[in-house]
PDB file of all heavy atoms in Angstrom:
ATOM      1  N   SER C 431     105.293 130.696 115.185  1.00 75.00           N
ATOM      2  CA  SER C 431     105.671 131.442 113.988  1.00 75.00           C
ATOM      3  C   SER C 431     105.444 132.939 114.122  1.00 75.00           C
ATOM      4  O   SER C 431     106.275 133.753 113.656  1.00 75.00           O
ATOM      5  CB  SER C 431     104.805 130.916 112.819  1.00 75.00           C
ATOM      6  OG  SER C 431     105.115 131.568 111.623  1.00 75.00           O
ATOM      7  N   VAL C 432     104.331 133.324 114.780  1.00 75.00           N
ATOM      8  CA  VAL C 432     104.103 134.773 114.993  1.00 75.00           C
ATOM      9  C   VAL C 432     105.237 135.334 115.901  1.00 75.00           C
ATOM     10  O   VAL C 432     105.797 136.435 115.596  1.00 75.00           O
ATOM     11  CB  VAL C 432     102.741 134.986 115.711  1.00 75.00           C
ATOM     12  CG1 VAL C 432     102.567 136.426 116.138  1.00 75.00           C
ATOM     13  CG2 VAL C 432     101.619 134.584 114.771  1.00 75.00           C
ATOM     14  N   LEU C 433     105.636 134.632 116.962  1.00 80.00           N
ATOM     15  CA  LEU C 433     106.662 135.106 117.816  1.00 80.00           C
ATOM     16  C   LEU C 433     108.002 135.246 117.089  1.00 80.00           C
ATOM     17  O   LEU C 433     108.769 136.195 117.314  1.00 80.00           O
ATOM     18  CB  LEU C 433     106.812 134.175 119.039  1.00 80.00           C
ATOM     19  CG  LEU C 433     105.666 134.172 120.029  1.00 80.00           C
ATOM     20  CD1 LEU C 433     105.875 133.128 121.114  1.00 80.00           C
ATOM     21  CD2 LEU C 433     105.455 135.535 120.646  1.00 80.00           C
ATOM     22  N   LEU C 434     108.285 134.294 116.218  1.00 78.00           N
ATOM     23  CA  LEU C 434     109.548 134.340 115.468  1.00 78.00           C
ATOM     24  C   LEU C 434     109.580 135.570 114.543  1.00 78.00           C
ATOM     25  O   LEU C 434     110.592 136.245 114.456  1.00 78.00           O
ATOM     26  CB  LEU C 434     109.725 133.068 114.644  1.00 78.00           C
ATOM     27  CG  LEU C 434     110.992 133.049 113.780  1.00 78.00           C
ATOM     28  CD1 LEU C 434     112.229 132.917 114.646  1.00 78.00           C
ATOM     29  CD2 LEU C 434     110.930 131.920 112.770  1.00 78.00           C
ATOM     30  N   THR C 435     108.484 135.827 113.865  1.00 73.00           N
ATOM     31  CA  THR C 435     108.426 136.983 112.993  1.00 73.00           C
ATOM     32  C   THR C 435     108.614 138.276 113.748  1.00 73.00           C
ATOM     33  O   THR C 435     109.301 139.184 113.318  1.00 73.00           O
ATOM     34  CB  THR C 435     107.082 137.020 112.216  1.00 73.00           C
ATOM     35  OG1 THR C 435     106.900 135.769 111.554  1.00 73.00           O
ATOM     36  CG2 THR C 435     107.035 138.107 111.191  1.00 73.00           C
ATOM     37  N   LEU C 436     107.995 138.356 114.923  1.00 75.00           N
ATOM     38  CA  LEU C 436     108.191 139.553 115.783  1.00 75.00           C
ATOM     39  C   LEU C 436     109.659 139.639 116.201  1.00 75.00           C
ATOM     40  O   LEU C 436     110.216 140.737 116.230  1.00 75.00           O
ATOM     41  CB  LEU C 436     107.261 139.463 117.003  1.00 75.00           C
ATOM     42  CG  LEU C 436     105.785 139.636 116.735  1.00 75.00           C
ATOM     43  CD1 LEU C 436     104.967 139.306 117.979  1.00 75.00           C
ATOM     44  CD2 LEU C 436     105.479 141.026 116.213  1.00 75.00           C
ATOM     45  N   LEU C 437     110.261 138.492 116.559  1.00 76.00           N
ATOM     46  CA  LEU C 437     111.696 138.515 116.941  1.00 76.00           C
ATOM     47  C   LEU C 437     112.567 139.034 115.847  1.00 76.00           C
ATOM     48  O   LEU C 437     113.495 139.830 116.092  1.00 76.00           O
ATOM     49  CB  LEU C 437     112.114 137.097 117.342  1.00 76.00           C
ATOM     50  CG  LEU C 437     113.596 136.879 117.676  1.00 76.00           C
ATOM     51  CD1 LEU C 437     114.000 137.684 118.918  1.00 76.00           C
ATOM     52  CD2 LEU C 437     113.885 135.411 117.872  1.00 76.00           C
ATOM     53  N   ARG C 438     112.323 138.612 114.641  1.00 71.00           N
ATOM     54  CA  ARG C 438     113.126 139.028 113.493  1.00 71.00           C
ATOM     55  C   ARG C 438     113.069 140.560 113.299  1.00 71.00           C
ATOM     56  O   ARG C 438     114.019 141.181 112.818  1.00 71.00           O
ATOM     57  CB  ARG C 438     112.624 138.320 112.228  1.00 71.00           C
ATOM     58  CG  ARG C 438     113.096 138.921 110.892  1.00 71.00           C
ATOM     59  CD  ARG C 438     114.613 138.920 110.758  1.00 71.00           C
ATOM     60  NE  ARG C 438     115.028 139.490 109.465  1.00 71.00           N
ATOM     61  CZ  ARG C 438     115.123 140.814 109.206  1.00 71.00           C
ATOM     62  NH1 ARG C 438     114.768 141.690 110.140  1.00 71.00           N
ATOM     63  NH2 ARG C 438     115.516 141.202 108.024  1.00 71.00           N
ATOM     64  N   ASN C 439     111.975 141.183 113.730  1.00 68.00           N
ATOM     65  CA  ASN C 439     111.787 142.585 113.476  1.00 68.00           C
ATOM     66  C   ASN C 439     111.892 143.453 114.740  1.00 68.00           C
ATOM     67  O   ASN C 439     111.489 144.609 114.763  1.00 68.00           O
ATOM     68  CB  ASN C 439     110.459 142.808 112.798  1.00 68.00           C
ATOM     69  CG  ASN C 439     110.385 142.203 111.430  1.00 68.00           C
ATOM     70  OD1 ASN C 439     110.859 142.794 110.454  1.00 68.00           O
ATOM     71  ND2 ASN C 439     109.846 141.004 111.336  1.00 68.00           N
ATOM     72  N   MET C 440     112.471 142.850 115.804  1.00 70.00           N
ATOM     73  CA  MET C 440     112.735 143.653 116.995  1.00 70.00           C
ATOM     74  C   MET C 440     113.863 144.646 116.787  1.00 70.00           C
ATOM     75  O   MET C 440     114.768 144.384 115.977  1.00 70.00           O
ATOM     76  CB  MET C 440     113.063 142.717 118.155  1.00 70.00           C
ATOM     77  CG  MET C 440     111.914 141.925 118.758  1.00 70.00           C
ATOM     78  SD  MET C 440     112.434 140.858 120.085  1.00 70.00           S
ATOM     79  CE  MET C 440     113.117 142.070 121.274  1.00 70.00           C
ATOM     80  N   PRO C 441     113.835 145.791 117.464  1.00 67.00           N
ATOM     81  CA  PRO C 441     114.953 146.728 117.354  1.00 67.00           C
ATOM     82  C   PRO C 441     116.252 146.026 117.763  1.00 67.00           C
ATOM     83  O   PRO C 441     116.300 145.275 118.756  1.00 67.00           O
ATOM     84  CB  PRO C 441     114.582 147.846 118.311  1.00 67.00           C
ATOM     85  CG  PRO C 441     113.088 147.730 118.450  1.00 67.00           C
ATOM     86  CD  PRO C 441     112.735 146.319 118.283  1.00 67.00           C
ATOM     87  N   GLY C 442     117.291 146.263 117.013  1.00 67.00           N
ATOM     88  CA  GLY C 442     118.591 145.671 117.316  1.00 67.00           C
ATOM     89  C   GLY C 442     118.925 144.437 116.544  1.00 67.00           C
ATOM     90  O   GLY C 442     120.078 144.019 116.515  1.00 67.00           O
ATOM     91  N   VAL C 443     117.917 143.814 115.910  1.00 66.00           N
ATOM     92  CA  VAL C 443     118.173 142.641 115.052  1.00 66.00           C
ATOM     93  C   VAL C 443     118.608 143.139 113.699  1.00 66.00           C
ATOM     94  O   VAL C 443     117.793 143.738 112.959  1.00 66.00           O
ATOM     95  CB  VAL C 443     116.893 141.738 114.942  1.00 66.00           C
ATOM     96  CG1 VAL C 443     117.198 140.581 114.021  1.00 66.00           C
ATOM     97  CG2 VAL C 443     116.463 141.236 116.331  1.00 66.00           C
ATOM     98  N   THR C 444     119.817 142.894 113.329  1.00 67.00           N
ATOM     99  CA  THR C 444     120.403 143.494 112.095  1.00 67.00           C
ATOM    100  C   THR C 444     120.628 142.444 110.994  1.00 67.00           C
ATOM    101  O   THR C 444     121.044 142.814 109.928  1.00 67.00           O
ATOM    102  CB  THR C 444     121.747 144.166 112.408  1.00 67.00           C
ATOM    103  OG1 THR C 444     122.628 143.233 112.981  1.00 67.00           O
ATOM    104  CG2 THR C 444     121.520 145.317 113.390  1.00 67.00           C
ATOM    105  N   LEU C 445     120.370 141.181 111.288  1.00 69.00           N
ATOM    106  CA  LEU C 445     120.571 140.159 110.264  1.00 69.00           C
ATOM    107  C   LEU C 445     119.617 140.359 109.076  1.00 69.00           C
ATOM    108  O   LEU C 445     118.423 140.666 109.274  1.00 69.00           O
ATOM    109  CB  LEU C 445     120.359 138.753 110.853  1.00 69.00           C
ATOM    110  CG  LEU C 445     121.417 138.230 111.813  1.00 69.00           C
ATOM    111  CD1 LEU C 445     120.980 136.896 112.385  1.00 69.00           C
ATOM    112  CD2 LEU C 445     122.740 138.064 111.121  1.00 69.00           C
ATOM    113  N   ASP C 446     120.127 140.179 107.847  1.00 78.00           N
ATOM    114  CA  ASP C 446     119.249 140.214 106.700  1.00 78.00           C
ATOM    115  C   ASP C 446     118.411 138.937 106.629  1.00 78.00           C
ATOM    116  O   ASP C 446     118.602 138.019 107.430  1.00 78.00           O
ATOM    117  CB  ASP C 446     120.053 140.455 105.383  1.00 78.00           C
ATOM    118  CG  ASP C 446     121.079 139.364 105.168  1.00 78.00           C
ATOM    119  OD1 ASP C 446     120.882 138.255 105.615  1.00 78.00           O
ATOM    120  OD2 ASP C 446     122.092 139.668 104.476  1.00 78.00           O
ATOM    121  N   TRP C 447     117.473 138.852 105.658  1.00 80.00           N
ATOM    122  CA  TRP C 447     116.575 137.711 105.596  1.00 80.00           C
ATOM    123  C   TRP C 447     117.347 136.392 105.441  1.00 80.00           C
ATOM    124  O   TRP C 447     117.041 135.400 106.086  1.00 80.00           O
ATOM    125  CB  TRP C 447     115.609 137.886 104.418  1.00 80.00           C
ATOM    126  CG  TRP C 447     114.743 139.108 104.572  1.00 80.00           C
ATOM    127  CD1 TRP C 447     114.843 140.266 103.899  1.00 80.00           C
ATOM    128  CD2 TRP C 447     113.607 139.232 105.454  1.00 80.00           C
ATOM    129  NE1 TRP C 447     113.870 141.123 104.299  1.00 80.00           N
ATOM    130  CE2 TRP C 447     113.097 140.534 105.263  1.00 80.00           C
ATOM    131  CE3 TRP C 447     113.033 138.392 106.394  1.00 80.00           C
ATOM    132  CZ2 TRP C 447     111.991 141.006 105.964  1.00 80.00           C
ATOM    133  CZ3 TRP C 447     111.925 138.856 107.123  1.00 80.00           C
ATOM    134  CH2 TRP C 447     111.432 140.145 106.885  1.00 80.00           C
ATOM    135  N   LEU C 448     118.370 136.399 104.560  1.00 86.00           N
ATOM    136  CA  LEU C 448     119.133 135.177 104.273  1.00 86.00           C
ATOM    137  C   LEU C 448     119.837 134.689 105.524  1.00 86.00           C
ATOM    138  O   LEU C 448     119.743 133.513 105.898  1.00 86.00           O
ATOM    139  CB  LEU C 448     120.104 135.443 103.139  1.00 86.00           C
ATOM    140  CG  LEU C 448     121.042 134.296 102.830  1.00 86.00           C
ATOM    141  CD1 LEU C 448     120.282 133.066 102.455  1.00 86.00           C
ATOM    142  CD2 LEU C 448     122.012 134.734 101.690  1.00 86.00           C
ATOM    143  N   HIS C 449     120.572 135.566 106.171  1.00 86.00           N
ATOM    144  CA  HIS C 449     121.382 135.115 107.329  1.00 86.00           C
ATOM    145  C   HIS C 449     120.518 134.782 108.575  1.00 86.00           C
ATOM    146  O   HIS C 449     120.890 133.954 109.373  1.00 86.00           O
ATOM    147  CB  HIS C 449     122.455 136.165 107.632  1.00 86.00           C
ATOM    148  CG  HIS C 449     123.546 136.183 106.621  1.00 86.00           C
ATOM    149  ND1 HIS C 449     123.474 136.997 105.520  1.00 86.00           N
ATOM    150  CD2 HIS C 449     124.679 135.472 106.521  1.00 86.00           C
ATOM    151  CE1 HIS C 449     124.575 136.800 104.746  1.00 86.00           C
ATOM    152  NE2 HIS C 449     125.324 135.842 105.367  1.00 86.00           N
ATOM    153  N   PHE C 450     119.387 135.448 108.690  1.00 86.00           N
ATOM    154  CA  PHE C 450     118.460 135.056 109.746  1.00 86.00           C
ATOM    155  C   PHE C 450     117.937 133.674 109.514  1.00 86.00           C
ATOM    156  O   PHE C 450     117.818 132.840 110.419  1.00 86.00           O
ATOM    157  CB  PHE C 450     117.291 136.062 109.820  1.00 86.00           C
ATOM    158  CG  PHE C 450     116.423 135.867 111.029  1.00 86.00           C
ATOM    159  CD1 PHE C 450     116.714 136.470 112.255  1.00 86.00           C
ATOM    160  CD2 PHE C 450     115.270 135.063 110.957  1.00 86.00           C
ATOM    161  CE1 PHE C 450     115.901 136.292 113.366  1.00 86.00           C
ATOM    162  CE2 PHE C 450     114.465 134.892 112.100  1.00 86.00           C
ATOM    163  CZ  PHE C 450     114.791 135.481 113.279  1.00 86.00           C
ATOM    164  N   PHE C 451     117.613 133.374 108.236  1.00 88.00           N
ATOM    165  CA  PHE C 451     117.154 131.998 107.905  1.00 88.00           C
ATOM    166  C   PHE C 451     118.235 130.973 108.182  1.00 88.00           C
ATOM    167  O   PHE C 451     117.945 129.875 108.652  1.00 88.00           O
ATOM    168  CB  PHE C 451     116.718 131.972 106.430  1.00 88.00           C
ATOM    169  CG  PHE C 451     116.276 130.610 105.967  1.00 88.00           C
ATOM    170  CD1 PHE C 451     115.124 130.025 106.488  1.00 88.00           C
ATOM    171  CD2 PHE C 451     116.985 129.915 105.023  1.00 88.00           C
ATOM    172  CE1 PHE C 451     114.684 128.756 106.098  1.00 88.00           C
ATOM    173  CE2 PHE C 451     116.557 128.646 104.603  1.00 88.00           C
ATOM    174  CZ  PHE C 451     115.427 128.062 105.156  1.00 88.00           C
ATOM    175  N   ILE C 452     119.489 131.269 107.863  1.00 92.00           N
ATOM    176  CA  ILE C 452     120.593 130.350 108.117  1.00 92.00           C
ATOM    177  C   ILE C 452     120.712 130.100 109.630  1.00 92.00           C
ATOM    178  O   ILE C 452     120.841 128.933 110.050  1.00 92.00           O
ATOM    179  CB  ILE C 452     121.918 130.921 107.536  1.00 92.00           C
ATOM    180  CG1 ILE C 452     121.877 130.899 106.025  1.00 92.00           C
ATOM    181  CG2 ILE C 452     123.128 130.181 108.104  1.00 92.00           C
ATOM    182  CD1 ILE C 452     123.031 131.599 105.363  1.00 92.00           C
TER     183      ILE C 452
END
Side-chain angles (χ1 to χ4, degrees):
S431 181
V432 173
L433 291 176
L434 178 70
T435 305
L436 290 171
L437 174 64
R438 164 60 181 81
N439 294 278
M440 286 178 61
V443 177
T444 58
L445 288 175
D446 58 28
W447 297 106
L448 174 59
H449 288 90
F450 189 86
F451 178 66
I452 289 172

